[in-house]
Amino acid sequence: MRYRQGFAMFTVNFDKRDLDDLMRGLGNLPGDIKGKAIARALKHTTAIAKTRVIQKSAASTGMRQKDIRSITVAVNTGADTASVIMRSGWIPLYQLGSVRQTRDGVSVRNWGTHQGTFLATMASGHAGVFKRSSAARLPVRELWGPNPAADVQNHEDEFLDVLESVADEKLHPRLEHEIDRLLRSL
Protein backbone atom coordinates (compact mmCIF):
# COMPACT_ATOMS: atom_id res chain seq x y z
CA MET A 1 0.00 0.00 0.00
CA ARG A 2 1.06 3.56 -0.59
CA TYR A 3 0.74 6.01 2.29
CA ARG A 4 0.69 9.76 2.47
CA GLN A 5 3.50 11.47 4.40
CA GLY A 6 4.63 9.82 7.57
CA PHE A 7 3.02 7.29 9.82
CA ALA A 8 1.60 6.90 13.26
CA MET A 9 2.63 4.06 15.51
CA PHE A 10 0.93 2.52 18.51
CA THR A 11 2.74 0.12 20.82
CA VAL A 12 1.33 -1.83 23.74
CA ASN A 13 3.61 -3.83 25.98
CA PHE A 14 2.81 -6.84 28.11
CA ASP A 15 5.39 -6.99 30.85
CA LYS A 16 6.39 -9.96 33.00
CA ARG A 17 6.29 -7.75 36.10
CA ASP A 18 2.51 -8.17 35.92
CA LEU A 19 3.10 -11.86 36.56
CA ASP A 20 5.50 -11.48 39.50
CA ASP A 21 2.95 -12.60 42.11
CA LEU A 22 2.20 -15.75 40.17
CA MET A 23 5.87 -16.41 39.57
CA ARG A 24 6.72 -15.97 43.28
CA GLY A 25 4.28 -18.78 43.97
CA LEU A 26 6.20 -20.92 41.49
CA GLY A 27 9.59 -20.09 43.01
CA ASN A 28 10.79 -23.70 43.14
CA LEU A 29 10.58 -24.19 39.38
CA PRO A 30 13.81 -24.17 37.40
CA GLY A 31 14.58 -20.85 35.71
CA ASP A 32 14.49 -22.27 32.19
CA ILE A 33 10.93 -23.54 32.68
CA LYS A 34 9.82 -20.14 34.00
CA GLY A 35 11.45 -18.31 31.08
CA LYS A 36 10.00 -20.62 28.44
CA ALA A 37 6.55 -20.52 30.02
CA ILE A 38 6.52 -16.71 30.16
CA ALA A 39 7.76 -16.38 26.57
CA ARG A 40 5.15 -18.81 25.25
CA ALA A 41 2.31 -17.27 27.26
CA LEU A 42 3.26 -13.77 26.06
CA LYS A 43 3.45 -14.94 22.45
CA HIS A 44 0.00 -16.52 22.63
CA THR A 45 -1.56 -13.55 24.44
CA THR A 46 0.04 -11.06 22.05
CA ALA A 47 -1.43 -12.92 19.06
CA ILE A 48 -4.90 -12.67 20.62
CA ALA A 49 -4.33 -8.99 21.43
CA LYS A 50 -3.32 -8.33 17.82
CA THR A 51 -6.54 -9.91 16.58
CA ARG A 52 -8.68 -7.88 18.97
CA VAL A 53 -6.93 -4.62 18.06
CA ILE A 54 -7.51 -5.38 14.37
CA GLN A 55 -11.20 -6.10 14.99
CA LYS A 56 -11.67 -2.90 16.99
CA SER A 57 -9.79 -0.82 14.43
CA ALA A 58 -11.80 -2.28 11.54
CA ALA A 59 -15.06 -1.45 13.30
CA SER A 60 -13.83 2.06 14.08
CA THR A 61 -12.40 2.98 10.65
CA GLY A 62 -14.73 1.04 8.34
CA MET A 63 -11.79 -0.77 6.75
CA ARG A 64 -11.52 -4.50 6.14
CA GLN A 65 -9.72 -6.53 8.80
CA LYS A 66 -7.37 -8.03 6.21
CA ASP A 67 -6.18 -4.54 5.22
CA ILE A 68 -5.52 -3.58 8.83
CA ARG A 69 -3.81 -6.92 9.50
CA SER A 70 -1.25 -6.10 6.81
CA ILE A 71 -0.12 -3.00 8.76
CA THR A 72 -0.21 -4.54 12.25
CA VAL A 73 2.64 -6.53 13.78
CA ALA A 74 2.83 -8.55 16.99
CA VAL A 75 6.40 -8.82 18.26
CA ASN A 76 7.93 -10.70 21.19
CA THR A 77 11.03 -8.85 22.22
CA GLY A 78 12.42 -11.63 24.41
CA ALA A 79 10.99 -13.44 27.40
CA ASP A 80 10.05 -10.23 29.21
CA THR A 81 7.90 -8.11 26.90
CA ALA A 82 5.73 -8.29 23.82
CA SER A 83 4.28 -5.52 21.65
CA VAL A 84 1.45 -4.93 19.22
CA ILE A 85 2.51 -2.30 16.70
CA MET A 86 0.34 -0.64 14.06
CA ARG A 87 2.02 1.56 11.47
CA SER A 88 0.12 3.42 8.83
CA GLY A 89 -0.31 6.72 7.14
CA TRP A 90 -3.36 8.13 5.44
CA ILE A 91 -4.60 5.50 3.02
CA PRO A 92 -5.80 6.64 -0.41
CA LEU A 93 -9.56 6.30 -0.87
CA TYR A 94 -8.88 4.34 -4.05
CA GLN A 95 -7.27 1.53 -2.04
CA LEU A 96 -10.15 0.99 0.37
CA GLY A 97 -11.80 -1.64 -1.76
CA SER A 98 -14.50 -1.57 -4.33
CA VAL A 99 -14.51 1.84 -6.07
CA ARG A 100 -16.63 2.69 -9.07
CA GLN A 101 -17.49 5.77 -11.02
CA THR A 102 -21.15 6.77 -10.87
CA ARG A 103 -23.05 9.67 -12.39
CA ASP A 104 -22.81 11.60 -9.10
CA GLY A 105 -19.18 10.84 -8.28
CA VAL A 106 -17.11 7.91 -7.03
CA SER A 107 -18.75 5.27 -4.87
CA VAL A 108 -16.47 3.53 -2.35
CA ARG A 109 -17.62 0.46 -0.43
CA ASN A 110 -18.33 1.34 3.24
CA TRP A 111 -17.61 5.01 2.52
CA GLY A 112 -20.53 6.00 0.30
CA THR A 113 -20.57 8.20 -2.78
CA HIS A 114 -18.31 11.23 -2.88
CA GLN A 115 -20.09 13.95 -4.86
CA GLY A 116 -18.16 15.63 -7.68
CA THR A 117 -15.23 13.22 -7.65
CA PHE A 118 -13.78 11.10 -10.43
CA LEU A 119 -11.46 8.14 -10.96
CA ALA A 120 -8.33 8.85 -12.94
CA THR A 121 -4.95 7.36 -13.73
CA MET A 122 -2.17 9.92 -13.92
CA ALA A 123 0.61 9.88 -16.51
CA SER A 124 2.88 8.32 -13.86
CA GLY A 125 0.51 5.34 -13.62
CA HIS A 126 -0.89 6.34 -10.21
CA ALA A 127 -4.63 5.73 -9.98
CA GLY A 128 -6.85 7.44 -7.45
CA VAL A 129 -10.04 9.26 -6.54
CA PHE A 130 -9.67 12.93 -7.35
CA LYS A 131 -11.64 16.15 -6.92
CA ARG A 132 -11.14 19.44 -8.67
CA SER A 133 -9.90 22.25 -6.40
CA SER A 134 -11.77 24.92 -8.39
CA ALA A 135 -14.04 25.29 -11.38
CA ALA A 136 -10.98 25.08 -13.65
CA ARG A 137 -9.77 21.75 -15.04
CA LEU A 138 -6.63 21.86 -12.91
CA PRO A 139 -5.53 21.60 -10.14
CA VAL A 140 -6.99 18.42 -8.73
CA ARG A 141 -6.40 16.83 -5.34
CA GLU A 142 -6.52 13.22 -4.29
CA LEU A 143 -8.95 12.09 -1.61
CA TRP A 144 -7.68 10.06 1.32
CA GLY A 145 -9.37 7.60 3.64
CA PRO A 146 -8.59 6.72 7.24
CA ASN A 147 -5.34 6.38 9.15
CA PRO A 148 -5.81 3.31 11.40
CA ALA A 149 -2.79 4.02 13.62
CA ALA A 150 -3.91 7.60 14.18
CA ASP A 151 -7.37 6.27 15.05
CA VAL A 152 -5.78 4.06 17.71
CA GLN A 153 -3.89 7.04 19.10
CA ASN A 154 -7.01 9.23 19.07
CA HIS A 155 -9.04 6.57 20.92
CA GLU A 156 -6.23 5.19 23.06
CA ASP A 157 -8.41 4.52 26.12
CA GLU A 158 -10.78 2.29 24.15
CA PHE A 159 -7.92 0.24 22.70
CA LEU A 160 -6.19 -0.02 26.08
CA ASP A 161 -9.43 -1.38 27.55
CA VAL A 162 -9.46 -4.05 24.84
CA LEU A 163 -5.84 -4.99 25.58
CA GLU A 164 -6.38 -4.98 29.32
CA SER A 165 -9.30 -7.37 28.97
CA VAL A 166 -7.13 -9.70 26.85
CA ALA A 167 -4.39 -9.65 29.48
CA ASP A 168 -6.89 -10.30 32.28
CA GLU A 169 -8.67 -13.12 30.45
CA LYS A 170 -5.79 -14.91 28.75
CA LEU A 171 -2.36 -14.28 30.26
CA HIS A 172 -2.59 -16.04 33.65
CA PRO A 173 -4.47 -19.12 32.38
CA ARG A 174 -2.07 -19.45 29.46
CA LEU A 175 0.96 -19.18 31.72
CA GLU A 176 -0.43 -21.96 33.93
CA HIS A 177 -1.10 -24.05 30.81
CA GLU A 178 2.46 -23.59 29.56
CA ILE A 179 3.97 -24.46 32.94
CA ASP A 180 1.86 -27.66 33.09
CA ARG A 181 2.89 -28.52 29.58
CA LEU A 182 6.60 -28.01 30.31
CA LEU A 183 6.43 -30.01 33.55
CA ARG A 184 4.73 -32.93 31.79
CA SER A 185 7.52 -33.02 29.22
CA LEU A 186 10.21 -33.55 31.92
Side-chain angles (χ1 to χ4, degrees):
M1 278 187 159
R2 190 174 78 77
Y3 302 113
R4 184 179 192 182
Q5 300 175 3
F7 66 90
M9 184 171 68
F10 182 71
T11 304
V12 176
N13 293 317
F14 292 115
D15 198 331
K16 83 169 187 166
R17 289 177 294 226
D18 298 335
L19 304 173
D20 282 346
D21 294 336
L22 180 60
M23 295 312 287
R24 272 196 264 343
L26 303 170
N28 295 334
L29 289 174
D32 61 331
I33 289 180
K34 287 183 204 177
K36 283 181 183 179
I38 290 171
R40 290 177 182 179
L42 281 174
K43 183 176 181 181
H44 180 80
T45 305
T46 304
I48 293 170
K50 175 184 173 183
T51 300
R52 299 247 179 108
V53 165
I54 289 167
Q55 290 169 344
K56 175 86 174 128
S57 183
S60 180
T61 62
M63 291 179 62
R64 296 179 296 191
Q65 287 184 27
K66 76 176 197 172
D67 294 335
I68 295 175
R69 186 172 289 108
S70 68
I71 59 172
T72 306
V73 180
V75 181
N76 280 22
T77 56
D80 294 352
T81 60
S83 301
V84 176
I85 302 168
M86 183 181 293
R87 295 179 188 189
S88 72
W90 295 100
I91 298 172
L93 204 54
Y94 186 78
Q95 292 180 359
L96 290 180
S98 163
V99 294
R100 63 187 178 91
Q101 183 71 53
T102 66
R103 180 178 60 186
D104 298 326
V106 175
S107 174
V108 181
R109 185 180 54 90
N110 292 337
W111 288 79
T113 301
H114 296 269
Q115 300 291 325
T117 59
F118 58 95
L119 292 174
T121 302
M122 301 291 131
S124 66
H126 173 71
V129 177
F130 295 92
K131 184 170 183 119
R132 297 194 192 290
S133 297
S134 65
R137 181 170 167 78
L138 293 174
V140 297
R141 63 182 180 87
E142 185 171 8
L143 299 183
W144 298 84
N147 181 339
D151 182 60
V152 170
Q153 288 178 335
N154 293 337
H155 302 100
E156 192 172 320
D157 293 340
E158 295 173 23
F159 283 90
L160 287 175
D161 289 343
V162 168
L163 294 169
E164 187 177 306
S165 71
V166 170
D168 290 344
E169 292 171 22
K170 305 292 182 184
L171 194 55
H172 287 275
R174 189 60 185 200
L175 182 60
E176 292 171 6
H177 167 82
E178 293 299 340
I179 289 171
D180 288 343
R181 187 172 159 207
L182 288 165
L183 288 176
R184 276 187 264 129
S185 68
L186 292 178

Coordinates of all heavy atoms in Angstrom, one line a residue, residues 64-114:
R64 N -11.5 -3.0 6.0 CA -11.5 -4.5 6.1 C -10.4 -5.0 7.1 O -9.3 -4.4 7.1 CB -11.3 -5.2 4.8 CG -12.4 -4.9 3.8 CD -12.2 -5.5 2.5 NE -11.0 -5.0 1.9 CZ -10.6 -5.2 0.7 NH1 -11.3 -6.0 -0.1 NH2 -9.5 -4.6 0.2
Q65 N -10.7 -6.0 7.9 CA -9.7 -6.5 8.8 C -8.4 -7.0 8.1 O -7.3 -6.8 8.6 CB -10.3 -7.7 9.6 CG -11.3 -7.3 10.6 CD -11.8 -8.4 11.4 OE1 -11.1 -9.4 11.6 NE2 -13.0 -8.3 11.9
K66 N -8.6 -7.6 6.9 CA -7.4 -8.0 6.2 C -6.5 -6.9 5.8 O -5.2 -7.0 5.8 CB -7.7 -8.9 5.0 CG -8.2 -8.2 3.8 CD -8.4 -9.1 2.7 CE -8.5 -8.4 1.3 NZ -8.5 -9.3 0.2
D67 N -7.0 -5.7 5.5 CA -6.2 -4.5 5.2 C -5.5 -4.0 6.5 O -4.3 -3.6 6.4 CB -7.0 -3.4 4.6 CG -7.6 -3.8 3.2 OD1 -7.0 -4.7 2.6 OD2 -8.6 -3.3 2.8
I68 N -6.1 -4.0 7.6 CA -5.5 -3.6 8.8 C -4.5 -4.6 9.3 O -3.4 -4.2 9.8 CB -6.6 -3.3 9.9 CG1 -7.5 -2.1 9.4 CG2 -6.0 -3.0 11.2 CD1 -8.6 -1.8 10.3
R69 N -4.8 -5.9 9.1 CA -3.8 -6.9 9.5 C -2.5 -6.7 8.8 O -1.4 -7.0 9.4 CB -4.4 -8.3 9.2 CG -3.5 -9.5 9.7 CD -4.2 -10.8 9.6 NE -5.3 -10.9 10.5 CZ -6.6 -10.9 10.2 NH1 -7.0 -10.8 8.9 NH2 -7.6 -10.9 11.1
S70 N -2.5 -6.3 7.6 CA -1.3 -6.1 6.8 C -0.4 -5.0 7.4 O 0.8 -5.0 7.1 CB -1.5 -5.8 5.3 OG -2.1 -4.6 5.2
I71 N -0.9 -4.1 8.2 CA -0.1 -3.0 8.8 C 0.1 -3.1 10.3 O 0.6 -2.2 10.9 CB -0.8 -1.6 8.5 CG1 -2.2 -1.6 9.0 CG2 -0.7 -1.3 7.0 CD1 -2.8 -0.2 8.9
T72 N -0.3 -4.3 10.8 CA -0.2 -4.5 12.2 C 0.7 -5.7 12.5 O 0.7 -6.7 11.8 CB -1.6 -4.9 12.9 OG1 -2.5 -3.8 12.5 CG2 -1.5 -5.0 14.4
V73 N 1.6 -5.5 13.5 CA 2.6 -6.5 13.8 C 2.6 -6.9 15.3 O 2.4 -6.0 16.1 CB 4.1 -6.0 13.4 CG1 5.1 -7.1 13.7 CG2 4.1 -5.6 12.0
A74 N 2.7 -8.1 15.6 CA 2.8 -8.6 17.0 C 4.3 -9.1 17.1 O 4.7 -9.9 16.4 CB 1.8 -9.6 17.3
V75 N 5.0 -8.5 18.1 CA 6.4 -8.8 18.3 C 6.7 -9.2 19.7 O 6.3 -8.5 20.6 CB 7.3 -7.6 17.9 CG1 8.7 -7.9 18.0 CG2 6.9 -7.0 16.5
N76 N 7.4 -10.3 19.9 CA 7.9 -10.7 21.2 C 9.4 -10.2 21.2 O 10.2 -10.7 20.4 CB 7.8 -12.2 21.4 CG 6.5 -12.6 21.8 OD1 5.5 -12.0 21.6 ND2 6.4 -13.8 22.5
T77 N 9.7 -9.4 22.1 CA 11.0 -8.9 22.2 C 11.8 -9.5 23.3 O 12.5 -8.9 24.1 CB 11.0 -7.3 22.5 OG1 10.2 -7.1 23.6 CG2 10.4 -6.6 21.3
G78 N 11.7 -10.8 23.4 CA 12.4 -11.6 24.4 C 11.4 -12.2 25.3 O 10.2 -12.2 25.1
A79 N 11.9 -12.8 26.5 CA 11.0 -13.4 27.4 C 10.2 -12.5 28.3 O 9.3 -12.8 29.0 CB 11.8 -14.4 28.3
D80 N 10.6 -11.2 28.3 CA 10.1 -10.2 29.2 C 8.9 -9.4 28.7 O 8.0 -9.1 29.4 CB 11.1 -9.3 29.7 CG 12.2 -10.0 30.5 OD1 12.0 -11.2 30.8 OD2 13.2 -9.3 30.8
T81 N 8.9 -9.0 27.4 CA 7.9 -8.1 26.9 C 7.5 -8.5 25.5 O 8.2 -9.3 24.8 CB 8.4 -6.7 26.8 OG1 9.5 -6.6 25.9 CG2 8.8 -6.1 28.2
A82 N 6.3 -8.1 25.2 CA 5.7 -8.3 23.8 C 5.0 -7.0 23.4 O 4.5 -6.3 24.3 CB 4.8 -9.5 23.8
S83 N 4.9 -6.7 22.1 CA 4.3 -5.5 21.6 C 3.3 -5.8 20.5 O 3.5 -6.7 19.7 CB 5.3 -4.5 21.2 OG 6.2 -4.2 22.2
V84 N 2.3 -5.0 20.4 CA 1.4 -4.9 19.2 C 1.7 -3.6 18.6 O 1.5 -2.5 19.2 CB 0.0 -5.1 19.6 CG1 -0.9 -5.0 18.4 CG2 -0.3 -6.4 20.3
I85 N 2.1 -3.6 17.4 CA 2.5 -2.3 16.7 C 1.7 -2.1 15.4 O 1.6 -3.1 14.6 CB 4.0 -2.3 16.3 CG1 4.8 -2.5 17.6 CG2 4.4 -1.0 15.6 CD1 6.3 -2.8 17.3
M86 N 1.1 -1.0 15.3 CA 0.3 -0.6 14.1 C 1.0 0.6 13.4 O 1.1 1.6 14.1 CB -1.1 -0.4 14.4 CG -2.0 -0.1 13.2 SD -3.7 0.3 13.6 CE -4.2 -1.3 14.2
R87 N 1.4 0.4 12.2 CA 2.0 1.6 11.5 C 1.2 1.8 10.2 O 1.0 0.9 9.4 CB 3.4 1.2 11.1 CG 4.4 1.0 12.2 CD 5.7 0.7 11.8 NE 6.5 0.3 12.9 CZ 7.8 0.1 12.9 NH1 8.5 0.2 11.8 NH2 8.4 -0.2 14.0
S88 N 0.8 3.1 10.1 CA 0.1 3.4 8.8 C 0.1 4.9 8.7 O 0.4 5.7 9.6 CB -1.3 2.9 8.9 OG -2.1 3.7 9.8
G89 N -0.1 5.3 7.5 CA -0.3 6.7 7.1 C -1.7 6.9 6.6 O -2.6 6.0 6.8
W90 N -2.0 8.0 6.0 CA -3.4 8.1 5.4 C -3.4 7.3 4.2 O -2.6 7.3 3.3 CB -3.6 9.6 5.1 CG -3.6 10.4 6.4 CD1 -2.6 11.2 6.9 CD2 -4.7 10.5 7.3 NE1 -3.0 11.7 8.0 CE2 -4.3 11.3 8.3 CE3 -6.0 9.9 7.3 CZ2 -5.1 11.6 9.4 CZ3 -6.8 10.3 8.4 CH2 -6.3 11.1 9.4
I91 N -4.5 6.4 4.1 CA -4.6 5.5 3.0 C -5.5 6.1 1.9 O -6.5 6.7 2.2 CB -5.2 4.2 3.5 CG1 -4.3 3.6 4.6 CG2 -5.5 3.2 2.4 CD1 -4.8 2.4 5.3
P92 N -5.0 6.1 0.7 CA -5.8 6.6 -0.4 C -7.2 6.0 -0.5 O -7.3 4.8 -0.3 CB -5.0 6.3 -1.7 CG -3.6 6.1 -1.2 CD -3.7 5.5 0.2
L93 N -8.2 6.8 -0.8 CA -9.6 6.3 -0.9 C -9.7 5.2 -1.9 O -10.4 4.3 -1.8 CB -10.5 7.5 -1.2 CG -11.9 7.4 -0.9 CD1 -12.1 7.1 0.6 CD2 -12.6 8.7 -1.2
Y94 N -8.9 5.3 -2.9 CA -8.9 4.3 -4.0 C -8.5 2.9 -3.6 O -9.0 2.0 -4.1 CB -7.9 4.8 -5.1 CG -7.9 4.0 -6.4 CD1 -8.9 4.2 -7.3 CD2 -6.9 3.0 -6.6 CE1 -8.9 3.4 -8.5 CE2 -6.9 2.3 -7.8 CZ -8.0 2.5 -8.7 OH -8.0 1.7 -9.9
Q95 N -7.7 2.8 -2.5 CA -7.3 1.5 -2.0 C -8.2 0.9 -1.0 O -7.8 -0.2 -0.5 CB -5.9 1.7 -1.5 CG -4.8 2.0 -2.5 CD -3.4 2.1 -2.0 OE1 -3.2 2.0 -0.8 NE2 -2.5 2.3 -2.8
L96 N -9.3 1.5 -0.7 CA -10.1 1.0 0.4 C -11.1 -0.1 -0.1 O -11.9 -0.6 0.7 CB -11.0 2.1 1.0 CG -10.2 3.1 1.8 CD1 -11.1 4.2 2.3 CD2 -9.5 2.4 2.9
G97 N -11.0 -0.5 -1.3 CA -11.8 -1.6 -1.8 C -12.5 -1.3 -3.1 O -12.0 -0.6 -3.9
S98 N -13.7 -1.7 -3.1 CA -14.5 -1.6 -4.3 C -14.8 -0.1 -4.6 O -15.6 0.5 -3.9 CB -15.8 -2.4 -4.1 OG -16.8 -2.0 -5.0
V99 N -14.2 0.5 -5.7 CA -14.5 1.8 -6.1 C -15.1 1.8 -7.5 O -14.6 1.0 -8.3 CB -13.3 2.8 -6.0 CG1 -12.8 2.9 -4.6 CG2 -12.2 2.2 -6.9
R100 N -16.1 2.6 -7.7 CA -16.6 2.7 -9.1 C -17.1 4.1 -9.3 O -17.6 4.8 -8.4 CB -17.7 1.6 -9.3 CG -18.9 1.8 -8.4 CD -19.9 0.6 -8.6 NE -21.0 0.7 -7.7 CZ -22.1 1.4 -8.0 NH1 -22.3 1.8 -9.2 NH2 -23.1 1.5 -7.2
Q101 N -17.0 4.5 -10.6 CA -17.5 5.8 -11.0 C -19.0 5.7 -11.2 O -19.5 4.8 -11.8 CB -16.8 6.2 -12.3 CG -17.1 7.5 -12.8 CD -16.5 8.6 -12.0 OE1 -15.4 8.6 -11.7 NE2 -17.4 9.6 -11.5
T102 N -19.7 6.7 -10.6 CA -21.2 6.8 -10.9 C -21.4 8.1 -11.5 O -20.5 9.0 -11.6 CB -21.9 6.6 -9.5 OG1 -21.6 7.7 -8.7 CG2 -21.6 5.3 -8.8
R103 N -22.7 8.4 -11.8 CA -23.0 9.7 -12.4 C -22.8 10.8 -11.4 O -22.4 11.9 -11.8 CB -24.5 9.6 -12.8 CG -25.1 10.9 -13.4 CD -26.5 10.7 -13.7 NE -27.3 10.4 -12.5 CZ -28.5 10.1 -12.5 NH1 -29.2 10.0 -13.6 NH2 -29.1 9.9 -11.3
D104 N -23.0 10.6 -10.1 CA -22.8 11.6 -9.1 C -21.4 11.8 -8.6 O -21.1 12.8 -8.0 CB -23.7 11.3 -7.9 CG -25.2 11.3 -8.3 OD1 -25.6 12.1 -9.2 OD2 -25.9 10.5 -7.7
G105 N -20.5 10.8 -8.8 CA -19.2 10.8 -8.3 C -18.6 9.4 -8.2 O -19.0 8.5 -8.9
V106 N -17.7 9.2 -7.2 CA -17.1 7.9 -7.0 C -17.7 7.3 -5.8 O -17.8 7.9 -4.7 CB -15.6 8.0 -6.9 CG1 -15.0 6.7 -6.5 CG2 -15.0 8.6 -8.1
S107 N -18.2 6.0 -6.0 CA -18.8 5.3 -4.9 C -17.7 4.3 -4.3 O -17.0 3.6 -5.1 CB -20.0 4.5 -5.4 OG -20.4 3.6 -4.4
V108 N -17.5 4.4 -3.0 CA -16.5 3.5 -2.4 C -17.2 2.7 -1.3 O -18.0 3.2 -0.5 CB -15.4 4.4 -1.7 CG1 -14.3 3.5 -1.0 CG2 -14.8 5.3 -2.6
R109 N -17.0 1.4 -1.4 CA -17.6 0.5 -0.4 C -17.4 0.9 1.0 O -16.2 1.2 1.4 CB -17.1 -1.0 -0.6 CG -17.8 -2.0 0.2 CD -17.2 -3.4 -0.1 NE -15.8 -3.4 0.1 CZ -15.2 -3.7 1.3 NH1 -15.9 -3.9 2.3 NH2 -13.9 -3.7 1.4
N110 N -18.4 0.9 1.8 CA -18.3 1.3 3.2 C -18.1 2.8 3.4 O -18.0 3.3 4.6 CB -17.3 0.6 4.0 CG -17.6 -0.9 4.2 OD1 -18.8 -1.3 4.1 ND2 -16.6 -1.7 4.4
W111 N -17.9 3.6 2.4 CA -17.6 5.0 2.5 C -18.6 5.9 1.8 O -18.5 7.1 1.8 CB -16.2 5.3 2.1 CG -15.2 4.8 3.0 CD1 -14.8 3.5 3.2 CD2 -14.6 5.6 4.1 NE1 -13.9 3.4 4.2 CE2 -13.7 4.7 4.8 CE3 -14.6 6.9 4.5 CZ2 -13.0 5.1 5.9 CZ3 -13.8 7.3 5.5 CH2 -13.0 6.4 6.2
G112 N -19.5 5.3 1.0 CA -20.5 6.0 0.3 C -20.0 6.6 -1.0 O -18.9 6.4 -1.5
T113 N -20.9 7.5 -1.5 CA -20.6 8.2 -2.8 C -20.0 9.6 -2.4 O -20.6 10.3 -1.6 CB -21.8 8.3 -3.7 OG1 -22.3 7.0 -4.0 CG2 -21.5 9.1 -5.0
H114 N -18.9 9.9 -3.1 CA -18.3 11.2 -2.9 C -18.7 12.1 -4.1 O -18.2 11.9 -5.2 CB -16.8 11.1 -2.8 CG -16.4 10.3 -1.6 ND1 -16.1 10.9 -0.4 CD2 -16.3 9.0 -1.4 CE1 -15.9 10.0 0.5 NE2 -15.9 8.8 0.0

